[in-house]
Amino acid sequence: MQDATSRSNPRRHLAQRLLACGLAAGPSYILLGLAQVLTREGFDVRRHALSLMSNGPGGWVQIANFVTSGVLVIAGAVGVRLALHPGRGGTWGPILLSVYGVGLIGAGIFVADPGAGFPPGTPERVGMTREGLLHFAFGGIGFYGLIAACFVFARRFASRGRRAWALYSLFTGIAFFVSFAAIASGSISAATMLAFYGAVVWVWLWHTALCKTLRADLRNDEP
């Protein structure tokens, strides 16, 4: 008869593979987004949200970026549950990360309305369509899920005495909430837009580091 450690190996190995998917989500999203910023005519990070890339020739690239990243995030969330459940953070952490993944997928399926002169030739101001409203709704729900996940993991790491990780998670949640609230309020200043881009990169780095850390914990047999 196998002992408990042997029986747990398949679960641990599956969790590691799924966490690797989550780990890949951030770098792939950032690199593909950067490639588009550098190559799409008329796109200006000081004026345009990355969501606008879903419009016009080549818009399928950003749509695929949203959907693929969402699937990877959800896979990683399942890995988080396998790694942590039933411990602290093992229930709500994966649920909230999955909400973020669903938000990304929804943001890809429902394309943002063009505007602010992008794609080239688009008027500065256009009305919001039902599809554009759904894009905004899915994006907002996903972002708030991710923000809440930051606080859940801050509490988990604090309870385990991992103060640096707890502060990192807490700061990430607060900073991303502030930057997203500024964008959601309708501010379109260059400073607000650039701050939001920085916050998106930062929160993706947090997500990547989280998946990497939990994988390392599994290798060290510290679920």
Side-chain angles (χ1 to χ4, degrees):
M1 179 180 293
Q2 292 180 312
D3 59 23
T5 302
S6 298
R7 288 195 303 272
S8 69
N9 281 337
R11 178 188 176 99
R12 186 159 59 244
H13 292 162
L14 177 59
Q16 289 178 343
R17 289 194 291 270
L18 291 170
L19 285 168
C21 293
L23 194 156
S28 65
Y29 184 90
I30 292 170
L31 290 175
L32 193 53
L34 179 61
Q36 294 178 88
V37 167
L38 295 175
T39 58
R40 290 288 297 272
E41 180 183 356
F43 191 86
D44 186 346
V45 293
R46 296 168 299 180
R47 302 179 62 234
H48 303 136
L50 197 63
S51 294
L52 294 180
M53 287 281 195
S54 298
N55 294 283
W60 65 270
V61 176
Q62 182 55 29
I63 292 172
N65 196 18
F66 277 131
V67 174
T68 301
S69 298
V71 171
L72 290 173
V73 167
I74 292 172
V78 176
V80 172
R81 179 174 174 83
L82 290 174
L84 300 183
H85 189 76
R88 185 183 292 274
T91 298
W92 280 105
I95 289 173
L96 292 167
L97 290 176
S98 294
V99 168
Y100 178 49
V102 171
L104 286 167
I105 294 171
I109 294 172
F110 300 104
V111 176
D113 292 320
F118 187 87
T122 302
E124 284 295 315
R125 295 187 179 277
V126 296
M128 180 173 284
T129 64
R130 183 175 63 177
E131 188 173 18
L133 180 61
L134 286 170
H135 173 89
F136 185 80
F138 270 99
I141 291 169
F143 282 147
Y144 283 124
L146 182 59
I147 291 165
C150 290
F151 297 136
V152 167
F153 285 105
R155 187 165 180 258
R156 168 186 163 75
F157 286 119
S159 71
R160 294 173 66 88
R162 300 171 74 166
R163 188 169 181 268
W165 250 108
L167 291 174
Y168 179 27
S169 300
L170 181 63
F171 173 80
T172 298
I174 293 173
F176 192 69
F177 173 78
V178 170
S179 65
F180 177 60
I183 287 288
S185 71
S187 175
I188 55 174
S189 70
T192 300
M193 191 65 70
L194 291 173
F196 183 66
Y197 271 101
V200 168
V201 172
W202 181 277
V203 79
W204 269 123
L205 292 176
W206 172 84
H207 179 267
T208 301
L210 175 70
C211 292
K212 183 177 180 180
T213 296
L214 294 181
R215 287 191 79 210
D217 288 349
L218 285 174
R219 286 196 298 271
N220 296 327
D221 200 26
E222 295 181 8

